[in-house]
Amino acid sequence: MKGPLDSDILYILNQEDFQPVQRLMRLFFGDENRAQLAHFLESNSINVESLRKLLDGAINSGYKGNPEYAESVQILQNFLRGRQ
């Protein structure tokens, strides 16, 4: 799965029964979307529970320790800390 963080991703994240899958996590946390990640999070109304599920999935899958994804995981962690 490749592409930008856009309205399609927003739609997926805002589904009531959202469950993260590896393909979506690679797109969301991948370096190709890192530059727009903070803006995407801040400028959209995203279900916070879905974001927590994404973060948990990333941590449980070792993304936090992977240089390809770690910075994006940190961006999401910081965003969620600001929402508490």
Side-chain angles (χ1 to χ4, degrees), residues 6 9 15 18 21-22 24 27 29-30 34 41 47 50 52 57 59 61 64 69 74 76 81:
D6 59 13
I9 301 303
Q15 295 304 299
F18 170 77
V21 295
Q22 289 297 320
L24 178 65
L27 178 138
F29 293 109
R34 185 169 302 122
L41 292 168
N47 182 321
S50 292
R52 287 190 181 111
I59 290 171
S61 296
K64 192 169 182 176
Y69 305 114
Q74 188 63 50
L76 180 55
R81 279 188 195 121

Side-chain angles (χ1 to χ4, degrees), residues 6-16 18 40 45 50:
D6 59 13
S7 60
D8 292 334
I9 301 303
L10 183 61
Y11 176 79
I12 291 168
L13 291 172
N14 282 327
Q15 295 304 299
E16 188 175 318
F18 170 77
F40 179 78
S45 178
S50 292

Side-chain angles (χ1 to χ4, degrees), residues 39-81:
H39 176 74
F40 179 78
L41 292 168
E42 293 167 6
S43 63
N44 290 293
S45 178
I46 305 172
N47 182 321
V48 174
E49 184 59 32
S50 292
L51 294 176
R52 287 190 181 111
K53 288 178 182 180
L54 260 180
L55 181 60
D56 288 345
I59 290 171
N60 291 334
S61 296
Y63 282 38
K64 192 169 182 176
N66 183 326
E68 186 176 348
Y69 305 114
E71 190 176 335
S72 295
V73 172
Q74 188 63 50
I75 290 169
L76 180 55
Q77 279 185 311
N78 293 342
F79 177 80
L80 287 172
R81 279 188 195 121

